[in-house]
Amino acid sequence: MSPVPRRTVLGAAAAASALAGLPTPASAAPAVVRPRALPGGGDLGPNVIVFDPSTAGIQAKLDQIFAQQETAQFGTGRYALLFKPGTYSGLNAQLGFYTSIAGLGLSPDDTTINGDVTVDAGWFNGNATQNFWRSAENLALVPVNGTDRWAVAQAAPFRRMHVRGGLNLSPTGYGWASGGYIADSRIDGQVGPYSQQQWYTRDSVIGSWLNGVWNMVFSGVQGAPAQGFPNPVYTTLATTPVSREKPFLYLNGTEYRVFLPEKRTNASGVTWGNGTPRGTSLSLSQFYVAKPGVTAATLNQALTQGLHLLLTPGIYHLDQPIQVNRANTVVLGLGYATLVPDNGVTALKTADVDGVRLAGFLIDAGTVNSNTLLEVGPSGTTTDHSANPTTVQDVFVRIGGAGAGKATTSMVINNRHTIVDHTWVWRADHGTGVGWDTNRADYGVVVNGADVLITGLFVEHFNKYDVQWNGERGRTIFFQNEKAYDAPNQAAIQNGSVKGYAAYKVADNVTVHEGWGLGSYCYYNVDPTIVQHNGFAAPNRAGVKFHDLLVVSLGGQGQYEHVINETGAATSGTSTVPSTVVSYP
């Protein structure tokens, strides 16, 4: 903080002393008023609702919040529903938009619901493709009929869950569905995706897996189906190269703490299956517990003081970036806490430091164009962070939908060894403030740093490249993309002499890159005659490898000429059948 001089009366008093013949120091240092230190800890605010087994009226409260949030796709409500350790019976927690449910134990099995946590699509006539922005974490479920229903689309993580039964990922009636993400979870029974177009499951244990539509990807999943792409549509890796689970809030007696799971390499299975999970924890007193309405200056003061940030549910307007400069800083959001950068600023930037953990929040672009919305590390850095990488988990980005928003590039990853674990970066195709130039956003994710790993990458509808990867030795496990629906004509997407910008572009100078289970879909509904040259573009060299790629024309609304570079058959007609490439080059 810059020093603030005392009022000038102090100077006047000194002058008066001199006139009186009293000695004065030749050069007294100006007195300063330092900002009062911000407190750590505190209450979690009105939109974090905490239950214990003796709480009266739990079901009524769950129903009340669901009624408010069921159809509020672009509303301002944000809720975290937290359950203290113990056993709860007879509950059905239906989750609407911007609603997170979580247990407060150190293990999911500390908090058991004899009942269900349900996501269905009755609000949208049985279509689950817009069931975004909701989550379940750290609970054990004993479903009433033996199978829990979790019919979600993007930005709806299912983390650290134990389902003592089966899990149905489709809506009632088996309508359209476009998800999804599971990590660090145990499903004792069968997982049935049914109508789900794609899904990624990481570091989990499942009883069995029923079927697949286009792109089902598994890494480190015990019980996963065998590799089979393209028929059946399974991409299966025995382990995940590097992973570090998302931080989570828990109760140690009556004290709130945040657990920080340790990094794992070549992992499989859950982190919590055999006693206490491995990692460290922080007291809530080490966090600034932020409430909506707080300024970016205050958030930065808290960080400068050495506090971490806990963002309670709500919407935070920022007139300057949140600047994370200290190694091992945690920024954890609850209930889809939402950052809105005003006047074209970047919402959050990190320094070139080890071990930052960013998790559990949404960045919503403001009406004035931001050059970037999230920057992990400064441009040009080459520092080795392999021992203690930065993780970006369940950090979601939206441009438009809740109103006109603009951002040239959404997420920029500069720091080496960063792990991005589940993100959905979305230029809105519906809602308000939507149009080819209304919510202009050229690039979704740009990776400049070397040795970056992304597990669970969802990026959709950008005006140019959805993903542009410039760093060496990058890896992606699972990618889901739709090209922008609203391109007005072929000329609008022309990329020099190339028809359209690839969904996933690896820079021409990159020598080593690898990806597994990547899919791109087109649905050019403004001009269905648009042709996209390919979904993927990369240097044709031995060190740049892709496994299990697909492109799909949805109902013939636009077509792809190839899958990757000049390889792979064109899509054709209206049959919505993928064109695939099993291995490239």
Side-chain angles (χ1 to χ4, degrees), residues 37-212:
L38 295 167
D43 75 271
L44 299 176
N47 287 9
V48 176
I49 298 161
V50 180
F51 303 104
D52 66 47
S54 67
T55 303
I58 297 176
Q59 187 65 54
K61 187 65 175 178
L62 297 174
D63 292 346
Q64 174 197 338
I65 293 170
F66 178 64
Q68 177 183 322
Q69 298 300 114
E70 181 183 10
T71 64
Q73 182 172 179
F74 298 109
T76 57
R78 304 284 188 275
Y79 291 94
L81 311 174
L82 305 183
F83 286 74
K84 293 182 179 181
T87 300
Y88 301 77
S89 295
L91 297 181
N92 181 17
Q94 299 184 82
L95 300 187
F97 287 98
Y98 314 109
T99 305
S100 298
I101 188 169
L104 287 170
L106 201 51
S107 163
D109 288 327
D110 293 339
T111 310
T112 298
I113 293 178
N114 290 307
D116 295 84
V117 171
T118 301
V119 178
D120 207 342
W123 74 279
F124 201 47
N125 300 314
N127 179 345
T129 60
Q130 293 183 24
N131 282 349
F132 313 136
W133 304 307
R134 62 202 77 195
S135 67
E137 298 185 49
N138 206 29
L139 292 165
L141 304 178
V142 184
V144 169
N145 70 355
T147 301
D148 191 63
R149 184 182 301 278
W150 185 254
V152 297
Q154 289 82 356
F158 196 82
R159 286 186 183 268
R160 216 179 154 69
M161 296 287 286
H162 184 187
V163 181
R164 298 178 194 161
L167 188 64
N168 182 345
L169 304 179
S170 72
T172 300
Y174 305 102
W176 290 340
S178 182
Y181 176 91
I182 294 170
D184 200 23
S185 293
R186 181 183 295 272
I187 318 299
D188 292 347
Q190 184 174 73
V191 180
Y194 298 103
S195 54
Q196 282 286 357
Q197 295 164 353
Q198 70 279 315
W199 200 276
Y200 175 53
T201 308
R202 179 182 63 70
D203 295 0
S204 293
V205 181
I206 62 175
S208 62
W209 189 273
L210 178 64
N211 74 302

